[in-house]
């Protein structure tokens, strides 16, 4: 009995320690303020991703600490997901299992992305659940409610973010391993993707966003893109997990895992963003879990991974500079009077997030209905229309007299 | 359960897409919609991400304009004449 109590106590202590780690990761990210992509999800701006998660996020707009709430929630989910990783390594010796968990917790993509309010970390978490089903699920009846649950989870993952489609080979593998025929597994995997395409067809803004994302690598050299992808791949698993996970995925004989890794590389070639690195993470963990021979010298692996993670952290300066949006909009929000805010120049959604007043793009014809003008580019004619400039704002801000 | 959910999702999406079919099947209509919406957004100072296209007919576009900001957003349904660029509230 006392042994059981100590085990439970140790588990609670671990949960608390992990939670402290998650809080730390969320707080570090909050130092940067809300970024444009984060604002897009927090305000439920309808592009580019499907609505499932951003709709929930948009419904919390009234929370005074909405941004921190989601940072903490996302960081908690990513960090506490180590229990899923631990379950993946259930058949391993304790040392190897602990090393597998350590590989997850010290992966660069988790350290740098767990506290961000982005879709990619959540897609990675969904990917981890998918690989858990792939590696752990025992024979389920082809018509069982559990298999229907997996299919629904796949549908939900796709309607959270498009990038979940990169795990399609693994999803197909789950159905195949659980007794579905090849054609049935293909239909269950493809129908949700077809529904996603139907969603895209009704959202011209999402389509134009795809076209823009697809062409964003066009101006970069082949060497430049390849270099960025290699850096993202290495950072995703802090080096050691990246190498072991990819090798494990290749050697495990689970071709679905390796095809997913290749799909992800191809996707990055077309549309690179550094934050997609976290999408590698579940595939790396699955690679190691499926081919545990890579953990033969687990002490050495753990020590090398820790060193790489520390080096990675040491080389990354702590970014504290938030955009001027919060500072400027706080001032404008507090001003009396009515009217919109005009912004001149290129700006992100964080300006909308910080505003209590509708924001329009600057045009001199709209000055008559504006309360304030923010000039991120010079707008010399504003002074002629009865506006005065506020000093010490960092940006050129004009207020109606 | 899964197929039922897929059916509901498909019906919901088809209902949403049906009024936009003229734009989906005709490149000319698509181009006309694009130039009209972009021109109107530039004239009104709107952000494209605040506009949701609801339906397309030969002469008018019906759209929802929703300026996103913290707190409750207003949601205006507007009809945009594709040739004159005139905006008026939905009837």
């Amino acid at each position: 009995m006392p042994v059981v109590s100590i085990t439970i106590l140790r588990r609670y202590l671990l949960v608390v320690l992990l939670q402290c780690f998650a809080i730390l990761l969320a707080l570090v990210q909050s130092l940067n303020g809300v970024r444009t992509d984060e604002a897009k999800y927090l305000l439920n701006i309808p592009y580019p991703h499907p609505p499932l998660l951003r709709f929930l996020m948009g419904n919390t707009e009234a929370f005074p600490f909405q941004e921190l709430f989601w940072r903490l929630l996302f960081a908690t989910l990513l960090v506490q997901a180590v229990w899923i990783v631990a379950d993946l390594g259930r058949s391993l010796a304790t040392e190897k299992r602990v090393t597998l968990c350590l590989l997850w917790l010290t992966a660069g993509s988790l350290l740098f992305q767990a506290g961000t309010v982005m879709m990619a970390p959540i897609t990675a978490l969904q990917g981890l659940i998918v690989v858990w089903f792939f590696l752990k699920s025992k024979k389920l009846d082809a018509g069982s409610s559990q298999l229907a649950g997996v299919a629904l989870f796949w549908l939900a993952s796709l309607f959270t973010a498009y990038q979940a489609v990169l795990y399609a080979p693994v999803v197909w593998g789950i159905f195949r391993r659980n007794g579905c025929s090849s054609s049935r597994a293909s239909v269950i995997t493809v129908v949700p993707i077809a529904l996603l395409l139907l969603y895209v067809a009704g959202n011209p803004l999402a389509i134009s966003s795809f076209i823009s994302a697809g062409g964003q690598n066009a101006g970069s050299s082949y060497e430049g893109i390849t270099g960025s992808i290699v850096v993202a791949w290495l950072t995703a698993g802090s080096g050691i997990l990246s190498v072991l996970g990819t090798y494990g995925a290749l050697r495990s004989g689970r071709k679905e895992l390796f095809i997913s890794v290749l799909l992800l590389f191809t996707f990055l070639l077309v549309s690179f963003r550094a934050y997609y690195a976290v999408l590698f993470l579940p595939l790396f963990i699955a690679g190691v879990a499926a081919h545990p021979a890579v953990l033969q010298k687990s002490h050495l692996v753990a020590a090398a991974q820790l060193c790489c993670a520390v080096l990675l952290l040491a080389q990354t300066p702590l970014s504290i500079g938030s955009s001027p949006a919060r500072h400027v909009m706080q001032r404008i929000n507090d001003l009396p009077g009515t009217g919109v805010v005009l912004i001149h120049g290129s700006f992100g959604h964080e300006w909308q997030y910080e505003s209590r007043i509708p924001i329009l793009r600057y045009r001199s014809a709209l000055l008559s209905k504006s309360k304030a003008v923010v000039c991120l580019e010079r707008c010399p004619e504003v002074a002629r229309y009865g506006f005065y400039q506020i000093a010490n704002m960092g940006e050129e801000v004009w207020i109606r007299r | 359960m899964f197929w039922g959910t897929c059916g509901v999702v498909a019906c919901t999406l088809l209902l949403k897409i049906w009024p936009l079919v003229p734009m989906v099947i005709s490149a000319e209509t698509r181009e006309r919609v694009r130039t009209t919406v972009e021109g109107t957004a530039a004239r009104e100072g709107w952000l494209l991400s605040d506009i949701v296209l609801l339906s397309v007919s030969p002469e008018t576009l019906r759209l929802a304009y929703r300026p996103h900001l913290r707190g409750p957003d207003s949601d205006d349904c507007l009809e945009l004449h594709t040739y004159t660029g005139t905006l008026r509230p939905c009837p």
Side-chain angles (χ1 to χ4, degrees):
Chain A
M1 189 67 177
V3 174
V4 172
S5 300
I6 287 169
T7 308
I8 292 171
L9 196 67
R10 201 173 58 182
R11 188 161 291 189
Y12 277 130
L13 189 65
L14 258 176
V15 170
V16 171
L17 283 174
L18 287 169
Q19 194 52 41
C20 292
F21 180 49
I23 291 169
L24 180 70
L25 293 177
L27 290 177
V28 168
Q29 290 297 336
S30 69
L31 295 174
N32 290 304
V34 177
R35 280 156 282 207
T36 180
D37 285 321
E38 295 179 323
K40 198 165 59 184
Y41 306 134
L42 290 167
L43 292 176
N44 190 18
I45 294 177
Y47 84 98
H49 286 296
L52 192 60
L53 182 55
R54 65 173 165 77
F55 170 77
L56 294 175
M57 293 166 83
N59 274 300
T60 60
E61 269 182 45
F63 287 15
F65 300 104
Q66 187 207 18
E67 173 206 346
L68 191 60
F69 169 79
W70 286 99
R71 283 194 196 289
L72 284 172
L73 183 64
F74 281 17
T76 301
L77 289 173
L78 264 283
V79 170
Q80 297 290 355
V82 74
W83 298 102
I84 301 174
V85 177
D87 194 62
L88 277 173
R90 191 174 281 277
S91 60
L92 302 176
T94 308
E95 288 169 13
K96 291 183 179 178
R97 198 173 171 206
V98 170
T99 303
L100 186 66
C101 294
L102 190 82
L103 288 171
W104 172 266
L105 290 171
T106 54
S109 51
L110 185 132
L111 297 173
F112 296 128
Q113 292 180 253
T116 58
V117 190
M118 299 288 282
M119 293 296 164
I122 295 304
T123 304
L125 180 63
Q126 289 166 332
L128 183 69
I129 295 169
V130 163
V131 298
W132 182 87
F133 277 123
F134 180 64
L135 296 175
K136 294 289 287 186
S137 64
K138 297 179 179 65
K139 280 277 180 197
L140 306 171
D141 178 22
S144 76
S145 58
Q146 288 157 307
L147 218 49
V150 176
L152 280 172
F153 181 76
W154 171 231
L155 180 67
S157 301
L158 286 170
F159 274 81
T160 300
Y162 299 108
Q163 284 75 25
V165 79
L166 300 167
Y167 301 126
V170 184
V171 172
W172 182 84
I174 297 171
F175 296 122
R176 281 294 288 143
R177 283 165 54 79
N178 285 286
C180 289
S181 66
S182 182
S183 55
R184 187 174 156 79
S186 302
V187 168
I188 301 174
T189 308
V190 168
V191 165
I193 298 175
L195 290 176
L196 190 64
L197 291 175
L198 205 57
Y199 169 79
V200 173
N203 286 272
L205 198 59
I207 298 172
S208 69
S209 163
F210 282 161
I211 294 167
S212 144
Q216 73 195 27
N217 285 1
S220 313
S221 67
Y222 177 73
E223 291 81 10
I225 297 166
T226 311
S228 301
I229 293 173
V230 170
V231 169
W233 171 74
L234 279 172
T235 311
S238 290
I240 303 298
L241 175 60
S242 309
V243 173
L244 297 184
T246 310
Y247 180 74
L250 180 63
R251 290 301 306 272
S252 65
R254 310 285 177 100
K255 58 181 184 304
E256 296 90 343
L257 275 182
F258 197 67
I259 293 172
S260 263
V261 174
L262 290 180
L263 264 181
L264 185 45
F265 274 117
T266 313
F267 171 68
L268 291 179
L269 267 176
V270 179
S271 175
F272 179 81
R273 287 271 199 277
Y275 53 71
Y276 289 144
V278 75
L279 300 175
F280 279 115
L281 196 51
L283 299 172
F284 291 162
I285 287 292
V288 174
H291 187 65
V294 294
L295 292 177
Q296 215 159 23
K297 293 176 180 168
S298 59
H299 286 106
L300 197 64
V301 169
Q305 173 79 358
L306 270 176
C307 287
C308 286
V310 170
L311 273 174
L312 202 59
L313 285 174
Q315 283 199 334
T316 312
L318 188 64
S319 168
I320 302 180
S322 60
S323 98
R326 182 163 292 176
H327 176 55
V328 171
M329 289 315 301
Q330 267 172 357
R331 182 74 188 272
I332 293 175
N333 288 335
D334 291 341
L335 291 169
T338 54
V340 298
V341 177
L342 299 180
I343 303 185
H344 189 39
S346 174
F347 63 97
H349 296 295
E350 70 275 18
W351 287 88
Q352 288 173 287
Y353 187 75
E354 303 297 349
S355 180
R356 303 287 183 276
I357 308 153
I359 287 179
L360 297 180
R361 283 194 191 283
Y362 174 84
R363 278 190 70 225
S364 52
L366 297 170
L367 282 168
S368 59
K369 57 178 183 181
S370 71
K371 165 181 170 176
V373 181
V374 180
C375 300
L376 302 174
E377 287 171 12
R378 285 194 53 74
C379 33
E381 68 268 38
V382 178
R384 297 202 302 268
Y385 286 86
F387 286 80
Y388 67 94
Q389 190 176 356
I390 318 180
N392 304 323
M393 291 300 287
E395 299 294 341
E396 191 181 324
V397 181
W398 296 80
I399 304 293
R400 181 172 291 286
R401 283 184 202 280
Chain B
M1 176 82 166
F2 169 67
W3 293 114
T5 309
C6 284
V8 171
V9 172
C11 289
T12 312
L13 293 174
L14 283 171
L15 283 174
K16 193 176 170 234
I17 289 174
W18 190 248
L20 302 175
V21 163
M23 191 183 70
V24 176
I25 57 176
S26 158
E28 190 194 332
T29 311
R30 208 158 42 240
E31 185 57 22
R32 187 164 48 84
V33 168
R34 191 181 66 79
T35 49
T36 309
V37 170
E38 283 180 357
T40 308
R43 187 186 70 214
E44 302 290 330
W46 294 347
L47 311 183
L48 284 174
S49 54
D50 288 345
I51 302 169
V52 175
L53 209 50
L54 301 175
S55 67
V56 176
S57 66
E59 293 202 339
T60 56
L61 307 178
R62 185 171 282 204
L63 47 91
Y65 174 61
R66 187 180 195 193
H68 291 86
L69 43 102
R70 276 300 286 281
D73 304 326
S74 64
D75 204 348
D76 300 326
C77 176
L78 300 163
E79 258 189 11
L80 172 61
H81 197 279
T82 44
Y83 296 106
T84 62
T86 321
L87 271 171
R88 61 175 188 189
C90 295

